[in-house]
Amino acid sequence: MTPSSVHDIRNLALLGHAGSGKTTLVEALLAAAGEIGAAGSVERGDTVADFDPQEKAMGHSLHAALVHLEWAGHWINLLDTPGLPDLSGRAVLALPAVDTAAVVINAAAGIESGTRRMMDAAKGKCRMIVINKLDAAADLATMMDAIAATFGRECLPINLPAPDGSRVIDCFFEPDNAAATAFSSVSAAHDAIVDQIVELDEALMAKYLEQGESLDPKQLHAPFEQALREGHLVPVCFVSARTGAGISELLDILGKLAPDPTEANMPAFLKGEGTAAEPAEVVLDADRHVVAHVFQIANDPYRGKLGLFRVHQGQVTPNSQLYIGDGRKPFKVAHLLRMQGKNAIETTMAVPGDLCAVARVDEIQRDAVLHDSHDEDFYHLAPTVFPQPVFGLALMTRKPADEQKLSEALARLMEEDPCLEVSFDARNRRTVVRGLGEQHLKIVLEELSARWNLQLDTATPSIPYRETISVVAEARYRHKKQSGGAGQFGEVALRVEPLPRGAGIELADEVKGGTIPTNFMPAVEKGVRQALGEGALAGFPLQDIRVVITDGKHHAVDSNEVSFVTAGRHALIEAVLAAHPIVLEPLLDVQVKVADTLFGEVSAELAGRRGRLTATDSPAPGWTLISARVPMAALEGFESRLKAICAGESEFVLEAGGHEPAPPDVQSELTRVHASGGNGNGAH
């Protein structure tokens, strides 16, 4: 079967903290819809979505997995995403593919760090909350209060659990149901939803309030979808994936109330790059040119590279000829695939809004736009914001012959993982990988071993310190060399100006009168960029600086590119040294969830590492969420220390926190080490 109309399709991502039961929920939904004979379990390792051997061994989803089902004439595509905090980037990459973000909460654990992160990441999408593990002992009324307090009064229950948690009672379509519930009442919950919806429709509100008329659910459908689009309503529903309570009701909600692609917020497409990019019209019309977006890449050992994509315009069939980005040569869709976990099922058509896949197209890349006409060259989606890599490891192959293999394997993993960053430390001649945390990189190492049979040694890499300037300064440098034949001559004058923290690098040209010929300006820029990369104070790259080339001189015979590269490089170094340079150290935003009784000890540990507490919260009774900003250099060994303090009962999440000036003693030591010829980087 295949959906024949965009109106039949529902696209959802299941998001949430690890352990909230997303994969088990997928199994229950597939079983209820008759897609599988019986629900598998994470413990047995026989679920549809967690099919990778590494996932089975860990008991956690490591990649977003696509499945589909049919229910009451609706085609529902589900993306089951990882919940481990270190894999949040792999969850976020599913968002451009879906219309609804369903954030799953463990009823026993309450609001966790992953819940907050995914609710925030999904802003701009239609959102709903699914409270799972209804069979667990939990104070659901208190949980609803916590959800409203944390995420807003727009979070309202659309069904309610029975007092014993054995079933759920609808509050939207059957407002007069007098069945007993665990809290509130059906009529009160219904009125709250209607009150929230009609706020967006004055005519409907007048009819509802002034005339006192009850509103038919059909009258509420359009304003309900509008409320979802605008974030004015976040429906909350209850299920138990283990017992099956609320599963068929959830499927009904998805079919009847989750938006189809025409009712959701259309993604923003642009044509062109940078400041020249302009909005591009993409319409959910099967008769127009194809425009599809690749949201995920999987490197399958048997099918090769697999590109999962969403069709936004036109329709794709086997034998379609599609261009990738601004590519000149199209590829042929030999096999159009629907994914059911690891199983690929051939299909005949993908209509607007549908999610499908193609295999063995080496040129395809994550975030690429596929299209069948050059009219759509240079189309791209507005970029998704991913968490920044913060934790690093240096990798060394045990066999020299494996270095090329390592490079190729890491390139494949970066295609799959938007939060994996790879660089080469030229000073120490080793590859450095950075990710979102220790567990993220441990998973990467296991993937390199299992999928590519690579044996690696690891070491802590250098801390990514940076340099910047404090004041405006100018410098002029003349490079002049005569050695018998043609000489070398180039003179560059420039000005450096500090920029706000995080602004990066800006280069400007204010040269007048041709004092530096235009054909030599690229050489000047090359020299300047060399110096920016090398630093001037302690050997670290410069950032948050504006460089303005103001003047120079040239010689009709002796000037050449080498001369202006050298002059540009030295002029930049001299200007920076005159601009009161400082060393910046990287900071990390740390979130630690600990038992209330351990708050003091953990806070003291963070303070001892030069940490600065920024907030505290109470995500659940008996637990405290500590937020702090800590220098990266001071966090070495913190995770192990935290486990020792909390006996393993804690959560620990890192995010990039920018750079700030290092303390004077750290600056002095780094400058001294650099002057003595050391690498000055320290260990992480």
Side-chain angles (χ1 to χ4, degrees):
M1 296 293 292
T2 184
S4 58
S5 168
V6 63
H7 300 290
D8 298 334
I9 297 172
R10 307 290 183 270
N11 293 318
L12 294 95
L14 297 183
L15 308 156
H17 199 83
S20 58
K22 299 182 296 296
T23 301
T24 304
L25 178 57
V26 168
E27 289 295 304
L29 294 170
L30 290 172
E35 295 291 339
I36 55 178
S41 76
V42 172
E43 293 74 19
R44 292 195 303 268
D46 60 354
T47 64
V48 175
D50 284 357
F51 52 84
D52 182 89
Q54 199 177 351
E55 291 178 314
K56 295 180 180 182
M58 288 187 65
H60 286 287
S61 300
L62 302 183
H63 296 275
L66 176 61
V67 303
H68 60 265
L69 59 88
E70 287 185 88
W71 183 262
H74 302 109
W75 183 276
I76 301 174
N77 291 311
L78 294 170
L79 277 160
D80 178 28
T81 68
L84 292 170
D86 281 9
L87 300 183
S88 58
R90 299 184 184 184
V92 170
L93 66 76
L95 288 173
V98 300
D99 303 305
T100 304
V103 178
V104 183
I105 297 178
N106 179 347
I111 298 170
E112 300 174 275
S113 60
T115 315
R116 299 167 187 265
R117 182 178 289 105
M118 292 302 113
M119 283 291 286
D120 188 57
K123 286 179 179 176
K125 295 287 179 183
C126 300
R127 293 179 296 173
M128 64 184 297
I129 291 173
V130 180
I131 297 179
N132 190 21
K133 304 190 179 182
L134 185 55
D135 49 308
D139 185 345
L140 298 177
T142 300
M143 178 173 293
M144 276 304 310
D145 290 341
I147 288 171
T150 305
F151 303 119
R153 69 178 185 88
E154 61 268 22
C155 300
L156 296 170
I158 200 166
N159 58 33
L160 290 168
D164 61 358
S166 62
R167 64 190 184 97
V168 300
I169 297 97
D170 170 69
C171 301
F172 185 75
F173 294 102
E174 299 178 16
D176 298 326
N177 194 325
T181 65
F183 65 94
S184 185
S185 68
V186 170
S187 60
H190 177 82
D191 290 345
I193 293 174
V194 175
D195 289 346
Q196 190 74 3
I197 293 171
V198 298
E199 286 182 1
L200 300 178
D201 189 320
E202 292 184 5
L204 199 61
M205 179 182 286
K207 186 175 183 180
Y208 178 58
L209 295 179
E210 295 173 12
Q211 300 179 25
E213 293 186 24
S214 60
L215 299 173
D216 187 276
K218 291 181 180 179
Q219 292 176 285
L220 292 170
H221 183 85
F224 187 99
E225 304 305 323
Q226 181 185 354
L228 290 179
R229 286 193 300 275
E230 297 183 10
H232 196 67
L233 174 65
V234 179
V236 180
C237 52
F238 296 83
V239 301
S240 170
R242 188 183 68 83
T243 68
I247 293 298
S248 60
E249 289 83 356
L250 176 57
L251 286 168
D252 285 338
I253 289 170
L254 298 183
K256 296 176 181 178
L257 295 175
D260 69 41
T262 68
E263 296 170 322
N265 290 320
M266 277 289 288
F269 275 88
L270 302 171
K271 185 170 186 175
E273 299 294 336
T275 56
E278 297 181 349
E281 183 186 45
V282 174
V283 182
L284 290 158
D285 185 344
D287 296 326
R288 295 204 182 194
H289 293 160
V290 171
V291 176
H293 173 253
V294 179
F295 62 89
Q296 186 172 345
I297 294 291
N299 289 289
D300 188 280
Y302 304 106
R303 288 187 292 261
K305 184 185 287 190
L306 196 68
L308 280 68
F309 63 89
R310 171 170 172 157
V311 181
H312 290 277
Q313 181 177 284
Q315 60 183 19
V316 179
T317 61
N319 300 321
S320 289
Q321 299 279 337
L322 299 179
Y323 298 97
I324 302 171
D326 60 343
R328 299 292 91 189
K329 183 179 179 181
F331 73 90
K332 179 182 176 182
V333 179
H335 303 281
L336 184 61
L337 306 173
R338 293 196 180 282
M339 304 308 299
Q340 193 72 301
K342 69 177 179 180
N343 296 321
I345 304 159
E346 293 207 29
T347 188
T348 57
M349 181 175 60
V351 298
D354 206 357
L355 309 186
C356 283
V358 290
R360 293 191 173 89
V361 181
D362 290 339
E363 299 80 13
I364 205 167
Q365 300 291 333
R366 180 176 52 80
D367 218 27
V369 169
L370 310 180
H371 54 99
D372 61 357
S373 166
H374 287 302
D375 290 349
E376 284 74 38
D377 283 351
F378 304 105
Y379 272 37
H380 60 92
L381 271 180
T384 301
V385 177
F386 292 103
Q388 293 299 304
V390 295
F391 193 90
L393 271 181
L395 305 182
M396 294 79 70
T397 59
R398 294 177 186 172
K399 301 175 184 177
D402 281 347
E403 289 185 5
Q404 181 61 32
K405 187 177 178 182
L406 173 62
S407 177
E408 293 172 356
L410 288 172
R412 294 292 189 188
L413 289 178
M414 283 194 294
E415 289 179 331
E416 301 173 0
D417 191 332
C419 297
L420 187 65
E421 185 179 277
V422 179
S423 60
F424 184 72
D425 181 355
R427 184 173 292 168
N428 297 301
R429 298 196 58 78
R430 57 192 188 184
T431 299
V432 176
V433 295
R434 294 192 182 276
L436 300 184
E438 193 173 310
Q439 189 172 35
H440 186 190
L441 295 187
K442 180 181 178 182
I443 290 167
V444 168
L445 290 175
E446 290 174 354
E447 289 175 328
L448 290 169
S449 174
R451 293 166 59 179
W452 285 278
N453 196 30
L454 283 163
Q455 296 180 346
L456 302 169
D457 292 318
T458 64
T460 52
S462 56
I463 300 292
Y465 292 103
R466 295 291 182 264
E467 296 178 18
T468 194
I469 59 173
S470 304
V471 299
V472 176
E474 297 182 353
R476 178 182 290 267
Y477 187 88
R478 174 180 291 183
H479 174 71
K480 184 176 182 181
K481 186 176 181 181
Q482 197 73 38
S483 57
Q488 295 181 10
F489 182 90
E491 184 172 315
V492 173
L494 53 78
R495 181 176 70 251
V496 294
E497 304 168 356
L499 293 175
R501 199 73 68 234
I505 300 291
E506 292 182 11
L507 265 65
D509 176 6
E510 292 183 359
V511 175
K512 297 178 181 178
T515 55
I516 301 178
T518 55
N519 59 307
F520 288 132
M521 287 304 295
V524 175
E525 181 176 335
K526 181 178 179 181
V528 167
R529 290 195 180 278
Q530 283 181 359
L532 288 170
E534 296 167 357
L537 178 65
F540 301 108
L542 283 146
Q543 70 176 37
D544 306 335
I545 180 172
R546 186 170 188 258
V547 182
V548 184
I549 315 298
T550 57
D551 195 14
K553 291 182 180 179
H554 72 284
H555 188 278
V557 176
D558 291 344
S559 288
N560 55 29
E561 289 187 4
V562 172
S563 302
F564 278 102
V565 168
T566 304
R569 179 175 176 273
H570 283 279
L572 190 281
I573 292 172
E574 290 188 4
V576 168
L577 290 174
H580 300 175
I582 58 173
V583 175
L584 302 174
E585 66 176 353
L587 303 180
L588 298 180
D589 287 328
V590 180
Q591 282 195 337
V592 188
K593 180 182 173 184
V594 299
D596 291 345
T597 54
L598 297 173
F599 170 77
E601 190 171 356
V602 173
S603 298
E605 181 70 25
L606 289 167
R609 294 171 180 269
R610 294 195 285 129
R612 184 174 72 249
L613 265 63
T614 55
T616 59
D617 197 2
S618 181
W623 293 90
T624 298
L625 185 68
I626 305 170
S627 298
R629 181 161 284 190
V630 189
M632 179 185 287
L635 273 175
E636 184 175 359
F638 175 72
E639 193 163 357
S640 299
R641 176 64 182 144
L642 182 65
K643 289 178 181 177
I645 293 173
C646 303
E649 294 295 321
S650 64
E651 291 177 13
F652 174 48
V653 180
L654 298 174
E655 290 184 355
H659 285 73
E660 288 186 2
D665 59 329
V666 174
Q667 301 225 22
S668 297
E669 176 63 16
L670 293 171
T671 304
R672 183 194 65 78
V673 171
H674 178 66
S676 66
N679 64 25
N681 270 342
H684 175 36

